[in-house]
Amino acid sequence: GEEAGGDGEPSTFVAFATRDHAASDPAEVQRVDAAGGRVRCGSGGEMRVAVNTPAGKWQVAVARALGGSEWRGGGISDAADVTTLRLDESHTFLVLASDGVWGVLDQLAEGSAARSRGVAWRVAAARAAGKSAGDIADGLVRCAAREGGTDNASCIVLLLGSGT
């Protein structure tokens, strides 16, 4: 959503509709354990799902992945985790992006709450400047790449209502 700022700049509020499906998320750790998998501390102190495949042993950072059926034995799921967000006139745009975008922007903003406010500000400012939804999404992906992102990055921006 978006609110008018006192200084003429767009100020924003953020409604979260998802959570990261990382191997460090307690709900995902519990789900992986229940599926017979194992989460352990990997290199660099990051939590990883241990997966044995015919191609070798893997330490995977995600607990859910599209495709990756060879990882099911480790408890990694390709089942969607669906969340519903009720939209109203206060919501002026929606950003759907992969971890290749969010992960890099998290590091820049020092956390997901600051990151989300930063992304919301960027989208609101770009919209106010007359940019299209496609151009805004492209800008977010390019920002992630410019800041050193190496993961696959995709983004969809939906502009809702008048945005004024």
Side-chain angles (χ1 to χ4, degrees), residues 45-88:
E46 298 291 325
M47 300 305 288
R48 300 282 191 250
V49 179
V51 181
N52 292 323
T53 72
K57 294 182 179 185
W58 297 84
Q59 298 292 315
V60 183
V62 296
R64 294 180 189 254
L66 297 176
S69 60
E70 68 275 13
W71 294 348
R72 281 192 192 119
I76 294 177
S77 174
D78 60 359
D81 181 20
V82 178
T83 302
T84 301
L85 175 66
R86 185 173 303 277
L87 301 176
D88 60 34

Side-chain angles (χ1 to χ4, degrees), residues 82-106:
V82 178
T83 302
T84 301
L85 175 66
R86 185 173 303 277
L87 301 176
D88 60 34
E89 63 279 349
S90 70
H91 295 93
T92 58
F93 55 83
L94 179 67
V95 178
L96 306 167
S98 68
D99 61 338
V101 173
W102 294 125
V104 173
L105 299 179
D106 266 352

Side-chain angles (χ1 to χ4, degrees), residues 78-156:
D78 60 359
D81 181 20
V82 178
T83 302
T84 301
L85 175 66
R86 185 173 303 277
L87 301 176
D88 60 34
E89 63 279 349
S90 70
H91 295 93
T92 58
F93 55 83
L94 179 67
V95 178
L96 306 167
S98 68
D99 61 338
V101 173
W102 294 125
V104 173
L105 299 179
D106 266 352
Q107 293 171 358
L108 289 176
E110 298 180 8
S112 61
R115 173 231 36 222
S116 295
R117 285 190 303 273
V119 168
W121 183 89
R122 284 177 189 239
V123 172
R127 183 178 195 178
K131 300 281 185 182
S132 71
D135 287 343
I136 296 168
D138 184 60
L140 291 172
V141 170
R142 287 180 186 275
C143 176
R146 190 173 48 250
E147 296 298 331
T150 58
D151 198 354
N152 57 344
S154 59
C155 181
I156 298 170

